[in-house]
Amino acid sequence: MDSRRVLALDLGTGGPKVALVGLDGEVLGAEREPNTVTYLPGGGAEQDPADWWRAIVAAARRLLGAHPDERVFAVAITGQWAGTVAVDAAGDPLCPAIIWLDSRGAPAVRRVAGGPVAGYSPLRALRWLRLTGGAPSLSARDALGHILYLKSERPDVYRATAAFLEPVDWLGLKLSGRLAATNCSATLGWVTDTRDLAAPAYDEGLLRTAGIDRAKLPELLPANAVLGPLAPAAAEELGLGGDVQVVAGTPDTMSAAVGSGATADHAAHLYVGTSSWISCHVPYKRTDALHSIAALPSALPDRYLVSCEQQTAGVCAERARDALFPDSGDEGFALLEELAASAPAGSGGVIFTPWLNGERTPVDDHLVRGGLHNLSLDTGRAQVARAVLEGVALNARWMQHHVERFTRKRLEPLAFIGGGAHSELWCQIMADVLDREIHRVADPVYAGVRGAALLAGLALGELERPQLDGRAPVAATYAPRPAARATYDELYAAFRGIYKSNRRLYRRLNGGAE
């Protein structure tokens, strides 16, 4: 048995998970620490990088203290994507990190991208699509939107910035002392040429279009590169040796894809955490700009990953728990599931739309908002609880339709990962609503750390690519129930109709605030 372990760090929006993972993918132990998000007027969402690091050190110290005999040979990083940390020449943050929920840069993005075709200049859009595989989000929920926001509204910070880093790349700097990004992490800056995965490069024309200084961007490496040994300060804080190697950070979507066990071409997974997505690895570069789906560089050396995201999924269940079972904490999720299970499929016609922070796929609309629809005097708590779970699933079906058109494949089974996969009821609802067999992966919340650890093994030559497939055991399988098909088909049609009928209303109500 190989006794070497990877210390895998997963910087989630709600706080980091730190795990000891074997090269076989087994998670031997894990610890978590909470972080908070500061929401600001006008669509702001920020976190303090110092809190990230404090939480990681605390969790790592606890974990390593509980496993004193384990031999750590590498540190792997994964976590939230589409965030921005502006650092000075010493690598210290100049302001709070702007995270993926932040839309304050929307006016600045529209000035750069603006044009008559769905909000874009046709020539600029074509260049972005050809070189990067995508285009800046008009809602500014990506790195370019954040950088342009700082340039426009915080010019003092922009001038003082030595480098703009993704959260995972800031952790890479903190751990190794090396200021670098990969073609995987840097994609959502929309200034990289992703056509040759082995030779990532910033494109001078895209930099000019965006108005971003090349000098303020980090060194660009291939995906899953080795940054080097732990920096002395980080080694001391974590309690590890200086010979431990640090592997460059991978966005959560990329590591979770590997940690789901679905690494073969078109082997798909469904993720439900704070946000949600349906994705798979593909051997081609392709873009569906109308529905915010693109094949972007993956963590695997020669593959792209279908990139799409729905803004709010698991967080909707959190809000429902807090409303229905105040002060219940994590125990409230079991209470919510029990309550939801007592309602019939379809929740008596009650529909929940989970757009609590706008939407990305299959519509890039930061002004749409969520709600409960078709309530009556007969509506009870159970129908509301179930409608929340079903609403997230209906939204996933909306995404699924366009992802399957994009891949030109029926994606089945779906490996289900993330916190949402803990709920057996939600697994069955997903199977029924999506009409696909669902495979609940064992330890689904650890898919990110498992994937990051396996990628570290690949980067350091300890694993070969074929060994990555299937290293996530399936805990349970859920088949679609034919009896639920008609109910969910009807609800799905109504769900899409709610957006179509009300999108102008959302724009009127929320346009001024945004």
Side-chain angles (χ1 to χ4, degrees):
M1 296 291 291
D2 195 328
S3 63
R4 292 170 299 170
R5 311 300 180 207
V6 176
L7 184 68
L9 316 178
D10 183 355
L11 180 63
T13 309
K17 292 186 287 287
V18 179
L20 280 171
V21 187
L23 290 173
D24 58 356
E26 181 185 1
V27 178
L28 285 87
E31 292 285 343
R32 304 182 70 166
E33 279 285 311
N35 283 145
T36 58
V37 179
T38 299
Y39 294 98
L40 301 168
E46 298 180 344
Q47 291 186 306
D48 184 352
D51 283 346
W52 293 343
W53 183 248
R54 173 204 54 76
I56 285 170
V57 170
R61 282 283 190 174
R62 265 199 324 273
L63 177 66
L64 295 171
H67 298 270
D69 298 327
E70 301 295 347
R71 179 189 164 202
V72 175
F73 78 101
V75 177
I77 311 161
T78 187
Q80 56 175 286
W81 198 15
T84 302
V85 185
V87 300
D88 62 18
D92 295 323
L94 291 162
C95 63
I98 303 174
I99 68 168
W100 59 278
L101 292 162
D102 194 295
S103 61
R104 289 175 294 176
V109 173
R110 290 191 179 95
R111 287 194 292 271
V112 167
V117 180
Y120 292 91
S121 158
L123 292 178
R124 291 181 178 182
L126 286 173
R127 184 172 179 82
W128 271 312
L129 293 174
R130 182 171 64 86
L131 296 180
T132 72
S137 167
L138 295 179
S139 63
R141 291 191 173 110
D142 54 30
L144 180 59
H146 304 156
I147 295 170
L148 292 178
Y149 166 75
L150 290 173
K151 185 178 181 181
S152 172
E153 304 300 324
R154 295 291 306 277
D156 56 328
V157 172
Y158 184 87
R159 285 192 299 269
T161 296
F164 293 106
L165 300 174
E166 280 281 342
V168 294
D169 295 326
W170 182 79
L171 289 179
L173 171 64
K174 192 77 175 173
L175 288 161
S176 71
R178 188 172 180 182
L179 195 68
T182 68
N183 62 354
C184 184
S185 65
T187 302
L188 300 187
W190 305 116
V191 292
T192 54
D193 187 338
T194 67
R195 292 174 296 177
D196 185 351
L197 295 176
Y202 294 109
D203 181 81
E204 291 298 329
L206 294 178
L207 288 166
R208 285 194 299 273
T209 296
I212 302 299
D213 298 333
R214 167 64 184 88
K216 295 184 180 295
L217 299 176
E219 174 188 12
L220 194 57
L221 304 172
N224 208 37
V226 178
L227 295 177
L230 269 176
E236 182 178 357
E237 287 192 76
L238 294 171
L240 293 173
D243 58 339
V244 174
Q245 296 293 308
V246 180
V247 178
T250 301
D252 50 9
T253 56
M254 311 301 180
S255 57
V258 174
S260 74
T263 59
D265 289 350
H266 299 110
H269 71 277
L270 163 68
Y271 170 84
V272 173
T274 301
S275 59
S276 65
W277 61 75
I278 294 173
S279 184
C280 61
H281 291 95
V282 294
Y284 46 76
K285 178 176 173 292
R286 184 181 296 161
T287 302
D288 176 0
L290 291 179
H291 300 104
S292 300
I293 304 171
L296 301 178
S298 79
L300 299 179
D302 57 353
R303 284 297 182 268
Y304 293 87
L305 187 74
V306 175
S307 180
C308 56
E309 184 177 44
Q310 293 187 325
Q311 284 284 98
T312 45
V315 70
C316 298
E318 290 181 9
R319 294 301 173 93
R321 172 204 64 185
D322 294 344
L324 295 170
F325 301 100
D327 304 318
S328 61
D330 289 343
E331 294 180 359
F333 288 116
L335 298 173
L336 180 70
E337 182 175 15
E338 182 181 358
L339 180 63
S342 68
S347 304
V350 176
I351 296 176
F352 172 72
T353 51
W355 311 310
L356 303 187
N357 195 47
E359 194 50 281
R360 282 191 174 184
T361 303
V363 291
D364 186 6
D365 186 346
H366 70 292
L367 299 177
V368 64
R369 292 293 179 267
L372 282 163
H373 306 265
N374 203 33
L375 301 178
S376 72
L377 291 174
D378 295 329
T379 301
R381 297 166 73 246
Q383 291 98 321
V384 170
R386 187 181 184 101
V388 170
L389 303 184
E390 290 177 336
V392 172
L394 291 166
N395 208 36
R397 178 167 167 175
W398 197 16
M399 174 171 55
Q400 172 200 27
H401 170 76
H402 293 283
V403 170
E404 290 193 336
R405 287 186 63 184
F406 180 90
T407 59
R408 300 167 189 166
K409 301 280 186 180
R410 178 184 172 93
L411 300 179
E412 190 175 19
L414 292 171
F416 193 9
I417 58 174
H422 275 308
S423 167
E424 292 190 18
L425 176 61
W426 220 347
C427 289
Q428 187 60 59
I429 287 172
M430 284 292 182
D432 292 340
V433 172
L434 300 179
D435 192 32
R436 299 291 183 271
E437 187 173 277
I438 297 293
H439 289 182
R440 179 164 64 87
V441 172
D443 297 324
V445 297
Y446 295 136
V449 291
R450 179 188 294 116
L454 294 175
L455 287 166
L458 184 68
L460 293 166
E462 301 294 335
L463 294 173
E464 299 293 332
R465 166 72 179 279
Q467 294 176 288
L468 300 182
D469 193 30
R471 293 214 167 195
V474 174
T477 298
Y478 301 82
R481 297 175 300 180
R485 181 72 180 272
T487 295
Y488 286 126
D489 284 350
E490 183 178 6
L491 285 186
Y492 176 61
F495 180 91
R496 292 188 61 185
I498 288 169
Y499 175 74
K500 183 177 180 181
S501 299
N502 291 286
R503 56 187 174 183
R504 291 182 180 175
L505 173 64
Y506 294 129
R507 187 161 299 279
R508 274 203 311 274
L509 291 174
N510 303 316
E514 296 286 352

